[in-house]
Structure formats: C-alpha cells, structure tokens
Amino acid sequence: MSVLPSAESRNMRIIGHNDLAGQGDGSQISIVDDFAYIGHMGTHDAGTSIVHIGDPTKPRLVAQIPRPPYTMTHKTQILGDLLLVNHQRSRFESGPDGAWSAGLAVYDISKRSEPKQIGFYEAPGDGIHRTGVDGERYAYASRTDVGFAGRFLAVIDLVDPTNPTEVGRCWVDGQHTAAGEEPVWDPTERDVKLHHGLPVGDRLYCGWGDGGFVTIDIADPTAPKVMSRLDLGSASSDTHTALKVPGRDLVLVVDEVLKRTIGQRREVWVVDVSDEMNPEPISVLPPPASPDEYPGERFGPHNLHEMRPGTFVSSDIVYLTYFAGGLRAYDLSDPRNPEEVASCVPESPHGRDGIEINDVVVNTERIAYITDRHAGGLYVIQHD
C-alpha cells in the first residue's frame, strides 16, 4: 500500500517518503549502493542530503551538508567513490560580487554516510550548473566565464580528485565573444547556453538551451569539438536533456518548461541519429492531460532518468519528470508512436497548490526516487 496518497496514479504507487528534515527543496538525485545523494535548490540552508535507502519504504536521512552563503549546490553526480556537487550563484538571494562559491566540490564517499571534501575546481563567474560523468575520470561540466556568452562545456580531469583540472573546452559558434565571435541568434530573444551533456562512448549528447540539441565528439577529452547542432525551431526553447537510448539510434531531447504559464507547452522530441551529422526529429512524447488541471505550478517536462551505471537501463522504457504532472513512463517500442504506460502525481505538499517533480533515478527493480523542488522532499515510487 502507498504510504502517501496520490493525486493521480496509473501502474505506479508511492511506497516511501522523506521530507528531508523539512528542507524539501529537492533537486538532482544520485544513487550508489544503499545511499541517495540529493542536491537542494537553495531556498533552505541544506545543500546536499544523504539518505539511506536500504529499505525503500523507509528512506532515512542520515546527514546534510550545508550550502555556502549565496550559493546553490543543487546538482550531484557519482564517479566511483567520488561525489561531485556543483557550486553556483544562487537565484534566490543576492550577495556582493564574490560572496558566493563557484565551481565543483569533490567529496570522498568511500564511507557512504560520511562525505569528506577532498578537492575543489574553481569556476569564476556564476559557477558550475551541472555535470555528466564518463564512469572513469572525466566530468563534463556546464560553466560560465568572462569572454563567453552563456554556459559552455568544460572537461574536468579527476585522475587526481584532490586537484581537479580543466583539460578541454567546447562551445557553439557565437559564444566566445572575447575571440570576436558574434551570435547568429538574437540575444534579446534566444538564450543559447549548455544545460548539461551526457557522455556515451566518444560522444556527448547535450541540451543547449535555446541552441537546441548538440552532439560533441569527446574521443579526445582534451579537444572536444561540435559535430552537429539541431535547431528545433521556434517551438523549442530551454532544451535541457539529451539522452541516447541504449542500443538504438535514438536520442530523447527534452525542452524544459520554465514558467508557470497555463497553456505553455514544451516537447520531448524523439530524434533519429542514425546519421549523426544530420539528426532528425521523428515524433514527440504524448503530453499528459491539460495543464489547466494543475493551477499555480509549472506543468511540463523537465528531466529523464539518465540510466547511469547500476540503475535501470532499457532500450524501450523511459521515465520523465513532468513538474506538476509528476512522474511519467513511456514505451518507445515504436519510436514514431511512443505511448505513455504509467504515471504518478503525489498530492500537493502542505501550503502548495501543486507539486513540482524535479528529478528521477530508477533502480534495477523499477523503484523510482523522485524529488519535489519546493517542499515535498523525496518520494519513492514502485512501477508495477
């Protein structure tokens, strides 16, 4: 039985919950062994929560790392026995220049419940937004810097985790303003910046904000280069995630809904990359019911279960967070006609008009761990 009621549920049920000590502004989740590491949005004091999930019906908060002043530490990644946590200028509080921490913190988590910071990569400016990791030694981070318009790719070598070192950079044409490049887009209307990239082999698949879907060659991590860029047109904005579907020439490209606007629609594009120099959209994931049913909160796509090593991996079934639309699961057996097969929307947290489900990780038993970015904390959902 569910431990919490659901506003909506089909082939899914809530089996566990933790409000993260009342600091439920949850963001990215990373899981290793029986522990979840959850970044916080920065509306409370907590920066990273460590939760024991050995019993998924009773997730237990074991520690919280505070965030630095004026700083968001809302994104986490696992690389072996390392926990990577972004440091980025806060969107929720203002401080004098230099008052926030900017970069990437590296923790030793060989003792899973006791993270110990051992290194830091400095990224002056707004800092690091998000990273993808290759499972070996490199982190692919989105960051800002003087002389660049918007966030670009920085490749960070963690062979010595006490001294993380940038070894490569990549951007799309028009971003490197200090080198005389001029945007080919209207900067007053389009915000072209890397959200994050996900490495698969010698390719990095990237959501690049209003720049669309970008594929980068990372065969040599010290010299990454853009292979192709798919502009999805005026119907696309704020491209967030590009996930290569395992074993198939498909990439799911997610446009994030940023505003609480009734009637605004963003798509999740199914893109054929059999010709990787000329990617082609072939369909979109079918959206849930009308956003009119979810007043007061964002309704639309955000992020996918990224199928990291040790988690659920499938060439057909994908999981998507949909903010006020909760968690959705889709079948891609026929990529030109994808079908929604399951969903779960937790009830609104106390004092909220709705929920905003932010991130998801699904384990090999199809147990999904999801976060609410405002107040709800961590929810555990069984996909039946």
Side-chain angles (χ1 to χ4, degrees):
M1 250 185 109
S2 298
V3 297
L4 286 176
S6 302
E8 172 190 326
S9 183
R10 182 166 72 98
N11 299 328
M12 290 181 176
R13 57 197 169 93
I14 301 174
I15 62 171
H17 176 250
N18 191 295
D19 71 354
L20 305 180
Q23 302 191 84
D25 56 341
S27 186
Q28 191 178 13
I29 312 168
S30 296
I31 289 177
V32 60
D33 297 334
D34 289 335
F35 288 87
Y37 300 85
I38 302 169
H40 288 257
M41 288 299 298
T43 56
H44 298 288
D45 294 333
T48 310
S49 286
I50 299 91
V51 179
H52 186 265
I53 54 172
D55 180 351
T57 68
K58 298 177 181 178
R60 177 172 55 87
L61 180 66
V62 296
Q64 285 184 323
I65 302 170
R67 65 182 179 88
Y70 310 111
T71 304
M72 300 169 67
T73 58
H74 58 316
K75 305 295 170 63
T76 64
Q77 274 285 10
I78 302 292
L79 184 62
D81 284 336
L82 301 177
L83 168 67
L84 310 180
V85 177
N86 76 314
H87 284 209
Q88 180 183 345
R89 182 179 185 175
S90 175
R91 298 200 302 264
F92 304 104
E93 56 187 352
S94 298
D97 287 346
W100 60 91
S101 179
L104 187 71
V106 182
Y107 292 84
D108 179 343
I109 55 168
S110 53
K111 293 184 178 180
R112 300 293 191 228
S113 62
E114 301 176 19
K116 178 182 178 183
Q117 186 172 341
I118 58 173
F120 191 81
Y121 162 76
E122 292 189 2
D126 286 349
I128 297 288
H129 186 65
R130 188 168 174 140
T131 60
V133 294
D134 65 357
E136 297 180 359
R137 61 185 280 184
Y138 294 105
Y140 298 88
S142 55
R143 63 159 294 184
T144 60
D145 202 355
V146 174
F148 286 85
R151 292 191 298 263
F152 57 89
L153 172 67
V155 183
I156 303 169
D157 190 347
L158 290 155
V159 66
D160 177 4
T162 67
N163 183 33
T165 304
E166 182 180 314
V167 295
R169 287 186 171 190
C170 191
W171 57 90
V172 301
D173 289 343
Q175 283 193 278
H176 195 187
T177 55
E181 296 180 7
E182 296 184 0
V184 296
W185 56 89
D186 184 346
T188 65
E189 295 183 359
R190 307 292 281 177
D191 191 6
V192 174
K193 61 186 179 184
L194 172 63
H195 190 276
H196 71 293
L198 297 175
V200 178
D202 58 6
R203 299 289 183 263
L204 188 73
Y205 299 97
C206 305
W208 217 281
D210 293 344
F213 163 46
V214 176
T215 304
I216 296 177
D217 183 341
I218 53 171
D220 179 358
T222 68
K225 53 184 180 290
V226 173
M227 294 183 60
S228 64
R229 181 165 81 89
L230 174 63
D231 187 338
L232 291 160
S234 59
S236 172
S237 183
D238 303 306
T239 304
H240 184 282
T241 304
L243 175 70
K244 176 72 163 56
V245 178
R248 302 178 71 179
D249 290 327
L250 299 173
V251 173
L252 290 181
V253 179
V254 181
D255 285 349
E256 177 185 2
V257 164
L258 286 184
K259 297 179 181 179
R260 299 175 180 85
T261 303
I262 299 301
Q264 183 188 67
R265 177 168 165 177
R266 291 287 180 259
E267 306 288 6
V268 180
W269 309 82
V270 183
V271 179
D272 183 336
V273 293
S274 52
D275 178 358
E276 61 181 351
M277 300 301 291
N278 296 285
E280 178 187 4
I282 59 173
S283 65
V284 296
L285 297 189
S290 167
D292 293 344
E293 297 181 16
Y294 302 93
E297 299 291 343
R298 275 198 262 186
F299 179 88
H302 184 232
N303 196 40
L304 293 155
H305 164 57
E306 295 178 351
M307 302 194 198
R308 293 171 228 157
T311 67
F312 174 78
V313 175
S314 173
S315 60
D316 293 321
I317 302 298
V318 295
Y319 294 86
L320 170 71
T321 59
Y322 216 84
F323 286 132
L327 177 67
R328 329 296 296 193
Y330 297 85
D331 188 338
L332 297 177
S333 299
D334 179 357
R336 295 184 180 275
N337 295 284
E339 178 186 4
E340 184 181 288
V341 294
S343 63
C344 185
V345 183
E347 286 195 339
S348 304
H350 179 70
R352 302 292 307 186
D353 292 332
I355 202 155
E356 288 199 9
I357 297 303
N358 190 38
D359 195 39
V360 55
V361 175
V362 184
N363 72 11
T364 56
E365 298 175 346
R366 292 199 182 188
I367 296 174
Y369 297 85
I370 65 174
T371 51
D372 172 41
R373 71 190 292 137
H374 284 308
L378 173 70
Y379 298 83
V380 186
I381 295 177
Q382 177 73 62
H383 181 186
D384 295 325

